[in-house]
Amino acid sequence: MKLRTLGVAVLGAVGLAALPACQKEEAPAAAARGPVAPAPAAAPKAEAPAAQPAPPVTGGATVRGTVTFKGPAPTPAAVTPSDDPACDGMALKDESVLVTDGKLANVLVRVRGLVPRSHPAQPALIDQQKCTYTPRVQGVTAGQPVLIKNSDGTLHNARALTGTKTVFNVAQPPNAKAVPRPLPADAEVIRLKCDIHPWMAAWVVVNPNPYFATSGADGSFSIEHLPEGSYTLEAWHETLGTQTAEVIVKEGESVTASFEFSADKAKGTALGGVK
């Protein structure tokens, strides 16, 4: 009897000792840890500083004038119409010599030589619209980026040449985004053509300084912010050659320099004055 009683007592003691251990294992983990503190909020990422726009160019002098054409305007050669629907609205005449009321368009007037003041070099854009290069004539500064874009719903190619040497030839899929193309460092006049639409033509004149302008339909041009000094102006036309004029400019003054071309491609007369 004593032995049996002792066994019961031992089993009871073991059961009581094991009970707290089982209760501890079954307790929820969250209750054991207590409330969880929220994670700290992530620090905001530092934003890159916004690019500062280039300061506007101010001061200097202005050279403005008009390019005229002497004699009867030449009759533009006809251009064969294209059956490409994307070319609808294209000019049906040669635009190499555009004369309106005696005024000559698409003449690039530029200051020759190096000029110390520089301008921000924004990319120059050459677009293809209605199977025509726009603009037909423009100037760029040496090293200035050039973008070529196709806004037409048809295939073009832009072949750039210096003389007869091909500088680049880039395919332009329909409605393609503008693509950059570098110009040779030693190039001065670049001609662009499209082999698919052979009447398409454009000209890019590379200048060592940013002081140039192209005459509009009314023959007018304006070159602004030119530093004080003496300069040689050159008026360039794709078929009529070049003319030059000497000007002296002073800070804050406006100077005129007018050019006259003629059908016989003679150099004509270049007049300069101060007003």
Side-chain angles (χ1 to χ4, degrees), residues 135-211:
R136 184 179 180 91
V137 177
Q138 70 174 311
V140 299
T141 308
Q144 182 177 355
V146 175
L147 301 177
I148 303 176
K149 180 181 179 182
N150 181 9
S151 294
D152 285 338
T154 190
L155 176 67
H156 290 302
N157 77 295
R159 181 190 296 273
L161 302 104
T162 55
T164 58
K165 179 183 177 182
T166 297
V167 176
F168 61 77
N169 185 12
V170 55
Q172 296 271 271
N175 301 306
K177 295 181 179 180
V179 294
R181 281 295 180 271
L183 300 181
D186 58 347
E188 186 171 7
V189 178
I190 302 288
R191 179 169 65 97
L192 277 87
K193 60 175 292 187
C194 176
D195 299 313
I196 302 170
H197 306 94
W199 62 84
M200 293 177 61
W203 303 84
V204 179
V205 180
V206 183
N207 205 44
N209 64 69
Y211 300 103

Side-chain angles (χ1 to χ4, degrees), residues 63 106-111 137-139 210-216 220-224 234:
V63 178
N106 291 332
V107 176
L108 195 288
V109 182
R110 58 175 173 165
V111 174
V137 177
Q138 70 174 311
Y211 300 103
F212 46 75
T214 303
S215 64
S220 66
F221 66 90
S222 179
I223 302 173
E224 300 180 345
E234 180 185 82

Side-chain angles (χ1 to χ4, degrees), residues 17 42 67 75 88 109 199:
V67 183
T75 302
D88 183 36
V109 182
W199 62 84

Side-chain angles (χ1 to χ4, degrees), residues 4 87 206 240:
R4 184 178 179 182
C87 298
V206 183
L240 300 177

Side-chain angles (χ1 to χ4, degrees), residues 64-74 97-109 215-221 235-237 240-243 257-271:
R64 58 169 55 94
T66 305
V67 183
T68 58
F69 187 87
K70 183 180 179 180
V97 180
L98 287 182
V99 179
T100 304
D101 297 329
K103 306 300 190 296
L104 183 60
N106 291 332
V107 176
L108 195 288
V109 182
S215 64
D218 61 354
S220 66
F221 66 90
W236 176 94
H237 187 270
L240 300 177
T242 61
Q243 294 185 26
S258 298
F259 299 90
E260 183 181 82
F261 288 84
S262 60
D264 60 6
K265 301 183 181 180
K267 289 188 175 181
T269 303
L271 304 176

